[in-house]
Amino acid sequence: ILIQITLISLIKKDQILNIIPEENKFGYWIKDILNKYYFFFLSLIISIITMSNPYVGYGKQVLYILSRSIITLIIVPFFLKIFDTF
């Protein structure tokens, strides 16, 4: 677990920001968000990898929480558009 955290921490913010293209507004928006909240996203990734490690034992729960969070992020804007039209 410590080796995984160390390897993730070796990736610098500038390396990630240089990978993201700025050809459109979405790329520029993602780059701006990552630039502002880099340490939040880094801690989120480290916690997900640590919790999904089989030696820790929370793999199924982490996958369940991630899948339900993604589904919620997809469904909420859909319902907001439906409610705005009525």
Side-chain angles (χ1 to χ4, degrees), residues 48-64:
I48 288 172
I49 289 175
T50 303
M51 295 301 284
S52 63
N53 192 329
Y55 295 111
V56 176
Y58 294 112
K60 291 181 181 179
Q61 288 88 356
V62 171
L63 290 176
Y64 181 80

Side-chain angles (χ1 to χ4, degrees), residues 8-9 14 35 39 45 51 70 72 76 82-83:
I8 292 171
S9 299
D14 296 331
N35 192 22
F39 292 108
I45 289 171
M51 295 301 284
I70 291 171
T72 302
V76 166
I82 289 174
F83 287 127

Side-chain angles (χ1 to χ4, degrees), residues 1-73:
I1 296 174
L2 293 175
I3 294 172
Q4 290 174 344
I5 294 171
T6 305
L7 290 175
I8 292 171
S9 299
L10 287 175
I11 300 172
K12 295 181 182 177
K13 180 167 65 171
D14 296 331
Q15 292 172 337
I16 295 173
L17 292 177
N18 287 333
I19 293 172
I20 301 171
E22 288 187 21
E23 297 171 357
N24 52 16
K25 290 182 181 181
F26 182 71
Y28 182 75
W29 179 73
I30 292 291
K31 199 169 196 176
D32 187 42
I33 294 293
L34 279 176
N35 192 22
K36 288 181 184 176
Y37 303 110
Y38 172 73
F39 292 108
F40 172 73
F41 286 115
L42 183 66
S43 62
L44 183 69
I45 289 171
I46 288 173
S47 63
I48 288 172
I49 289 175
T50 303
M51 295 301 284
S52 63
N53 192 329
Y55 295 111
V56 176
Y58 294 112
K60 291 181 181 179
Q61 288 88 356
V62 171
L63 290 176
Y64 181 80
I65 290 170
L66 284 176
S67 65
R68 297 308 179 231
S69 299
I70 291 171
I71 291 170
T72 302
L73 289 174

